[in-house]
Amino acid sequence: MAKIIGIVSGKGGVGKTTTALNLGLALQELGEQVIVVDGDIKNPNVGLYLGLYKFKNTIQNVMRGADIKDAQYLHASGIRIIPASLSIDEAGVGFSRLKEVFNEMEGYVLIDFAPGLGRDVLSLLEICDQAIVVTNPNIPSITSTMRFISIIKEMNKEVLGVIINRSGKAYEIKREDIEIICDAPIIGEIPEDENVRKSAMMKTPVLSYKPYSKAAIKFKEVAARLLDINYEPPSFSSIRNIFSYFSKAEATVI
Ligand code: ADP
Ligand code: MG
């Protein structure tokens, strides 16, 4: 039975889609079977971040009864996704069928959520076993994270932890304080890293674009932590990045 994990946040634009794709790839590199599902059906980004736009089947088709095998796409980076349809009239078909469909899968099902605590978010949370909450280290983001976490707990879902994304100099709240305020463990701290934005332009996760960048290494650390594996960050990262750049593949659907 798969582990169904929601990648959620109180506020938008904090890095959920980035986290879902890169954590997914990192878990996969550690030998896990992973699929990233676009659960942000009103504003789907998973396919777009990978340069994939047209799909015969999407998560909406699966919700209506299509075979999940027909809605899976493999990106050149190695990540498997179930995209959402970009067409607006396909939004909001109901998530209830997904639980049994995902349960039949193996490994990790990472669901990239829409932000906030709207009706769609709450009903999609119902089908998750666990949640990872992504936040930025600023007061508005932390406040909504705190509220979100208490709701998740009220729903009897396990909060695996908080990922502080885009951390750097402009820290408004210290890591230790975030942990206390949110009442959940901090399972990762991803730095602000321009390679993340560049990787989006290259239509591939930063783990495949610059596997030894600061952000990529931190995503790998989070994956290792989730699997309870000891992870040694590599040395000579910048030299390794240059070599990996030349061996990069194009993004295509397979
Ligand atoms: P969300 O899914 O929560 O809306 P995204 O993953 O789409 O957030 O990220 C929002 C924007 O922030 C994107 O342009 C992304 O490239 C950028 N971004 C995310 N994480 C980082 C990071 N660690 N460093 C730099 N830019 C980042
Ligand atoms: Mg997103």
Side-chain angles (χ1 to χ4, degrees):
M1 221 160 84
K3 277 190 189 348
I4 307 172
I5 304 177
I7 310 294
V8 304
S9 75
K11 288 185 84 66
V14 295
K16 289 180 298 303
T17 308
T18 304
T19 298
L21 288 169
N22 286 290
L23 184 57
L25 209 47
L27 285 165
Q28 206 165 280
E29 283 179 9
L30 292 171
E32 296 298 320
Q33 193 170 313
V34 178
I35 190 136
V36 175
V37 178
D38 201 334
D40 190 353
I41 53 166
K42 295 213 174 102
N43 198 10
N45 273 166
V46 171
L48 290 179
Y49 273 28
L50 300 173
L52 310 173
Y53 309 93
K54 285 196 179 143
F55 306 99
K56 197 157 174 279
N57 280 302
T58 60
I59 193 69
Q60 283 94 337
N61 296 101
V62 177
M63 289 189 250
R64 288 197 209 92
D67 189 333
I68 195 150
K69 290 195 195 78
D70 298 331
Q72 295 182 28
Y73 298 84
L74 178 65
H75 181 253
S77 61
I79 195 72
R80 270 191 318 147
I81 64 162
I82 299 179
S85 164
L86 288 168
S87 108
I88 290 172
D89 57 342
E90 292 210 60
V93 244
F95 299 110
S96 49
R97 178 172 186 256
L98 295 181
K99 177 82 178 168
E100 82 189 72
V101 172
F102 290 156
N103 267 340
E104 278 166 25
M105 304 184 81
E106 283 187 19
Y108 285 80
V109 176
L110 301 184
I111 306 181
D112 180 29
F113 268 65
L117 280 162
R119 203 149 33 99
D120 277 354
V121 166
L122 292 177
S123 66
L124 190 53
L125 257 178
E126 284 293 349
I127 73 156
C128 297
D129 308 314
Q130 295 162 318
I132 291 174
V133 192
V134 183
T135 191
N136 293 153
N138 57 49
I139 290 164
S141 184
I142 302 292
T143 319
S144 65
T145 301
M146 180 185 79
R147 242 180 293 128
F148 207 119
I149 288 175
S150 66
I151 303 272
I152 302 171
K153 288 181 178 168
E154 273 171 32
M155 291 172 76
N156 288 323
K157 307 285 175 188
E158 185 189 357
V159 179
L160 279 176
V162 175
I163 292 179
I164 306 170
N165 186 33
R166 311 191 80 158
S167 77
K169 285 195 204 105
Y171 242 63
E172 291 178 8
I173 309 181
K174 282 193 294 205
R175 181 188 168 124
E176 304 76 58
D177 294 337
I178 296 175
E179 198 148 35
I180 294 166
I181 295 168
C182 293
D183 192 22
I186 309 293
I187 56 169
E189 205 176 321
I190 317 292
E192 173 74 29
D193 183 341
E194 63 170 10
N195 290 305
V196 174
R197 274 189 308 278
K198 287 186 185 164
S199 72
M201 281 163 62
M202 301 302 287
K203 302 176 171 58
T204 196
V206 72
L207 245 84
S208 107
Y209 171 63
K210 285 272 168 75
Y212 302 101
S213 60
K214 290 194 177 82
I217 289 169
K218 288 293 177 182
F219 278 119
K220 290 182 202 178
E221 260 180 42
V222 179
R225 182 182 169 141
L226 289 178
L227 300 177
D228 218 1
I229 292 172
N230 200 19
Y231 176 75
E232 286 287 327
S235 46
F236 306 116
S237 300
S238 47
I239 298 169
R240 287 175 198 252
N241 269 327
I242 293 167
F243 283 115
S244 71
Y245 180 79
F246 289 110
S247 59
K248 216 171 58 249
E250 280 276 297
T252 46
V253 191
I254 298 164

